[in-house]
Amino acid sequence: MVIKFTINGDEMEVDVKPNETLLDVLRNKLFVTGPKEGCGNGECGACTVIYNGKPMNSCLILAPEADGAEIFTVEGLTKDGKLHPIQEAFIEENAFQCGFCTPGFLMSAKALLERNPNPSKEEIVEALSGNLCRCTGYDTIIKAVKKAAEKMGARS
Amino acid sequence: MERGEYMIPHDFSYFRPATLDEALDMLSEDGMIPIMGSTDVVVKLRARRLKPKGIVDLKAIEELHNFSFSKENGMVIGAAVTMNELIEDHPEVKENYPVFYQAIKKVGAYQTRNRATVAGNIGNSSPAADSVPPLLTYNAKLKLVSKEGEREVELKDFFTGPGKNILKQGEIIHSIIVPYEGPSIGMYYKLSRIKAVDLSTIGVALTVIDPDGKRDIRIALASVAPTPLRVFEAEDFIRGKELTPEVVEEFAKIVQRNTSPITDSRGTKEYRYEMAYVLPKKILRELGLYKEVS
């Protein structure tokens, strides 16, 4: 069946099967490989995308469910070759090592800062609790989100 | 995985009807299952534990997105209302059903709660369902609908075993009705291996209705029996009594005696059995309702 959605503002039409997940379609059909498959069960958050404004696990969404959705991935963060403040903050705070979890963290962080531009440490931890990192640890990630909030506040 | 392979190994058809009547028609056929947030269903599809002929996505049905609250009629949660909508968009939930609010905040992670629904949590019928023990303490009911008509059942009569319930083929949970019996305090205490994105090793909901008046104490547990469990015997015992250490001790022992836990990857039956005794006391203590003698 053919579904339509937007990815990072671009309209797409793609032929999908009901037993494909949104993550399958993004990675294997549209070659949008920012979202990663970690566990495939909604436990690790590596596949997190912003779906109609809210962070969700794309591995738990059946492709046809996404008909009509607005989807945002890490690929949409960089504008004209310029990194997003959240990305800058992650680099400055050394908030990743292997980077496999990073696109998911960036999506959860972006959605958090949109609904709450000045989150407390507890609110950051809660918003990121569905994203697992197995090498950096979480301190630098939490610092990066805090720093991103400051950068974004200063720019607006 | 090679490109072009599918995470979900078998084929099925997908429908997204716009009206309840169409959906109930489709679901009356053998092999059709309903989905809401699909957070449990996709996991089961991948694990080959579910092999439906077709999936009926109920999210486009407007009336299932309804939410209402009044002191006269209580809270009515449409089957499509997500847990995060209850947490973020409806302050009545936190205000009037604090134990339920605490429990749904402990389901999965933020991403999961943007998809997951309470109706789905109930329909999945896991003994570990976090939303269920508090709803049991608040005397929740379910409105079930099918092509044949509708019926209202008590939540406590809904579950028949792990993953099993009284729903007939073609019947769905339309809404959850939670009476308002007055102000309440309480706690949902969840023990799990990690704080987020884990199933409960044990979950205990203790609700005190009208804490400054008749002080009606209710208790229900997850992950200690084949179904979520409300312990009426313990409630009957403690009703109207002063909360002395002896009374609380006996209350906790009655709760424990009513459980029948098993050992699985999340914990042993011995640990769960012990916690079914420890946690009721701990919650009453943390709520400031009694002090242990020093």
Side-chain angles (χ1 to χ4, degrees):
Chain A
M1 58 195 294
V2 175
I3 62 166
K4 286 184 192 174
F5 48 46
T6 68
I7 295 179
N8 304 321
D10 297 333
E11 286 184 23
M12 302 267 175
E13 236 184 71
V14 56
D15 194 9
V16 304
K17 293 179 62 178
N19 62 332
E20 287 178 293
T21 64
L22 175 59
L23 180 61
D24 285 327
V25 171
L26 290 173
R27 292 184 58 84
N28 299 341
K29 289 200 163 146
L30 301 172
F31 309 113
V32 176
T33 53
K36 306 282 188 274
E37 187 191 354
C39 66
N41 284 319
E43 293 177 10
C44 76
C47 66
T48 303
V49 299
I50 300 178
Y51 184 97
N52 295 333
K54 295 178 176 177
M56 294 185 189
N57 295 313
S58 61
C59 76
L60 294 184
I61 299 174
L62 296 173
E65 291 184 74
D67 190 25
E70 284 179 21
I71 296 158
F72 189 86
T73 70
V74 71
E75 283 85 351
L77 276 180
T78 307
K79 284 265 159 19
D80 306 320
K82 194 162 168 16
L83 294 178
H84 190 279
I86 304 177
Q87 292 172 304
E88 288 174 1
F90 267 63
I91 293 170
E92 288 162 19
E93 293 293 337
N94 298 311
F96 52 87
Q97 287 183 28
C98 85
F100 193 84
C101 68
T102 311
F105 270 100
L106 292 171
M107 291 299 99
S108 287
K110 179 169 190 288
L112 168 67
L113 296 177
E114 274 166 11
R115 65 182 185 271
N116 180 357
N118 190 21
S120 66
K121 186 180 173 191
E122 288 68 36
E123 287 166 334
I124 295 172
V125 169
E126 194 196 346
L128 301 182
S129 63
N131 294 83
L132 295 184
C133 171
R134 300 285 79 160
C135 44
T136 314
Y138 299 98
D139 278 0
T140 57
I141 294 174
I142 292 162
K143 277 186 198 149
V145 176
K146 199 84 191 150
K147 189 166 194 178
E150 286 161 20
K151 282 172 181 271
M152 290 165 74
R155 281 178 203 192
S156 62
Chain B
M1 184 186 291
E2 294 292 317
R3 259 184 193 156
E5 275 186 33
Y6 301 110
M7 295 183 199
I8 299 168
H10 85 283
D11 288 324
F12 49 83
S13 35
Y14 169 90
F15 307 96
R16 181 159 57 182
T19 68
L20 190 57
D21 284 344
E22 283 175 80
L24 295 176
D25 261 341
M26 293 171 177
L27 286 166
S28 67
E29 280 175 44
D30 272 352
M32 304 294 272
I33 61 166
I35 62 165
M36 254 332 158
S38 65
T39 52
D40 281 315
V41 168
V42 171
V43 173
K44 287 185 178 177
L45 289 169
R46 292 191 52 159
R48 302 167 199 236
R49 283 160 59 202
L50 264 182
K51 289 189 176 172
K53 261 195 343 217
I55 279 182
V56 183
D57 184 351
L58 305 176
K59 285 193 289 294
I61 302 169
E62 201 117 327
E63 67 176 280
L64 299 181
H65 289 268
N66 290 342
F67 173 91
S68 66
F69 172 78
S70 68
K71 290 192 173 170
E72 297 72 45
N73 300 318
M75 173 168 69
V76 182
I77 306 170
V81 178
T82 67
M83 292 185 181
N84 268 355
E85 285 167 352
L86 294 173
I87 293 165
E88 295 178 347
D89 303 343
H90 299 295
E92 302 97 322
V93 177
K94 184 180 183 183
E95 199 179 311
N96 300 295
Y97 306 94
V99 186
F100 173 60
Y101 172 83
Q102 290 172 31
I104 53 178
K105 278 196 90 170
K106 291 184 174 158
V107 174
Y110 192 80
Q111 291 97 314
T112 335
R113 297 192 291 269
N114 273 334
R115 301 274 299 170
T117 61
V118 177
N121 201 214
I122 294 170
N124 190 50
S125 301
S126 161
D130 288 309
S131 72
V132 173
L135 286 176
L136 288 171
T137 68
Y138 286 116
N139 283 329
K141 299 178 181 67
L142 302 175
K143 179 178 165 184
L144 309 180
V145 297
S146 70
K147 227 177 137 178
E148 275 69 52
E150 62 177 70
R151 56 178 174 150
E152 206 173 275
V153 299
E154 300 278 342
L155 180 61
K156 71 177 168 62
D157 301 326
F158 181 75
F159 305 102
T160 54
K164 293 197 166 64
N165 57 52
I166 61 168
L167 283 177
K168 297 174 185 149
Q169 173 68 43
E171 194 172 40
I172 62 161
I173 299 168
H174 176 281
S175 42
I176 299 124
I177 304 143
V178 195
Y180 179 77
E181 301 177 76
S184 61
I185 59 168
M187 196 179 285
Y188 182 66
Y189 207 105
K190 173 175 176 171
L191 288 176
S192 50
R193 295 162 302 176
I194 55 174
K195 276 185 195 153
V197 211
D198 198 3
L199 302 177
S200 56
T201 305
I202 176 172
V204 181
L206 190 143
T207 303
V208 186
I209 308 274
D210 193 8
D212 303 318
K214 62 178 177 174
R215 207 211 59 199
D216 191 356
I217 296 175
R218 300 178 187 169
I219 187 161
L221 297 88
S223 302
V224 294
T227 66
L229 176 74
R230 181 167 169 188
V231 189
F232 290 100
E233 188 193 342
E235 296 178 10
D236 291 340
F237 167 78
I238 207 165
R239 186 168 301 120
K241 288 197 175 73
E242 196 192 329
L243 299 186
T244 63
E246 293 74 29
V247 165
V248 170
E249 180 73 18
E250 183 60 22
F251 171 74
K253 281 188 177 154
I254 297 172
V255 173
Q256 182 186 42
R257 204 164 63 219
N258 276 272
T259 65
S260 48
I262 57 164
T263 295
D264 65 13
S265 57
R266 285 180 288 281
T268 61
K269 66 179 179 192
E270 290 82 5
Y271 177 71
R272 290 183 159 113
Y273 192 69
E274 183 64 16
M275 290 303 111
Y277 160 74
V278 168
L279 293 179
K281 293 208 296 184
K282 185 179 171 70
I283 295 174
L284 285 171
R285 196 168 59 234
E286 290 192 7
L287 290 172
L289 291 175
Y290 97 109
K291 283 197 182 77
E292 274 163 316
V293 184
S294 56

